[in-house]
Amino acid sequence: EVQLVESGGILVQPGGSLRLSCAASEFTFSSYAMSWVRQAPGKGLEWVSAISSSGANTYYADSVKGRFTISRDNSNNILYLQMNSLRAEDTAVYYCAVQYCSGGGCYGYFQHWGQGTLVTVSS
Amino acid sequence: DIQMTQSPSSVSASVGDRVTITCRASQGIGSWLAWYQQKAGKAPKLLIYAASSLQSGVPSRFSGSGSGTDFTLTISSLQPEDFATYYCQQANSFPRTFGQGTRLEIK
């Protein structure tokens, strides 16, 4: 069974930095694109960033572009999200998610999700 | 960016009812649409992809339809475990975008 375990969420002051990790297991991590999706308390889902299977291509929501950096370590099956210049509006549960692949093709749906890690930005 | 708009924002229904949730995209997305179910305190779960394909393990009472800009999720006969929040998501282009969610409550 696919396992995704996020970590690194803490209370951080506005303007601070944080790195989230997502440890993946029970699937061929290096073959799948990955994403981060967040959910502010009591709010809906917001896609944050995605990275291709090789790491060569990255994509960001406008709300985090220039502040967040997605990366991956395919040797150790870990996905990262480096978060800089944090703002109160970045407070959310951050989920990592695996893209959906079937029949030799991969698509922009999210087939598996981690349990999430809470990031709180507050002074 | 493609905006996704769901309606209604919330709906009350009883066990055994048929419920339909709609999702409208601000521009055509073909069939590049997914539906997710999220229960309180849990991660979302993929129900439907490619607008109408049922994800493995999802009960057949869930179905999806539509293409272009207008999509629907139908639950044919509500079960107690179906009371949750449902989200649509477009996979046509970046940035990926979700609808605001539809909360399905027990009447």
Side-chain angles (χ1 to χ4, degrees), chain A residues 33 35-37 45-50 59-62 99 106-110, chain B residues 1-4 32 36 88-99:
Chain A
S35 281
W36 289 97
V37 177
L45 301 170
E46 180 188 16
W47 174 83
V48 172
S49 182
Y59 309 87
Y60 298 93
D62 286 346
Q99 73 173 136
C106 293
Y107 312 96
Y109 315 115
F110 309 117
Chain B
D1 298 0
I2 298 174
Q3 308 303 317
M4 307 300 292
W32 297 105
Y36 300 86
C88 62
Q89 175 242 326
Q90 65 84 13
N92 180 75
S93 61
F94 287 103
R96 307 302 191 206
T97 45
F98 291 87

Side-chain angles (χ1 to χ4, degrees), chain A residues 96-111:
Chain A
C96 64
V98 186
Q99 73 173 136
Y100 175 85
C101 294
S102 177
C106 293
Y107 312 96
Y109 315 115
F110 309 117
Q111 183 174 15

Side-chain angles (χ1 to χ4, degrees), chain A residues 18-83:
Chain A
L18 194 59
R19 188 177 79 162
L20 304 183
S21 300
C22 171
S25 60
E26 305 305 323
F27 68 104
T28 308
F29 180 72
S30 59
S31 296
Y32 290 81
M34 300 289 295
S35 281
W36 289 97
V37 177
R38 69 184 180 183
Q39 187 168 36
K43 303 298 184 182
L45 301 170
E46 180 188 16
W47 174 83
V48 172
S49 182
I51 187 168
S52 62
S53 57
S54 68
N57 298 299
T58 57
Y59 309 87
Y60 298 93
D62 286 346
S63 58
V64 307
K65 199 172 296 182
R67 300 188 299 122
F68 290 10
T69 302
I70 191 171
S71 62
R72 64 190 299 158
D73 178 350
N74 283 347
S75 297
N76 291 297
N77 296 346
I78 304 175
L79 175 71
Y80 297 105
L81 185 67
Q82 177 66 43
M83 310 165 68

Side-chain angles (χ1 to χ4, degrees), chain B residues 16-61:
Chain B
D17 284 353
R18 179 184 182 91
V19 170
T20 297
I21 298 168
T22 65
C23 178
R24 176 164 289 176
S26 60
Q27 63 189 74
I29 59 170
S31 296
W32 297 105
L33 185 102
W35 289 96
Y36 300 86
Q37 176 193 67
Q38 187 180 33
K39 297 182 179 179
K42 301 294 186 182
K45 173 186 175 183
L46 177 64
L47 298 176
I48 302 282
Y49 63 94
S52 61
S53 295
L54 195 66
Q55 171 67 345
S56 176
V58 174
S60 59
R61 62 181 179 272

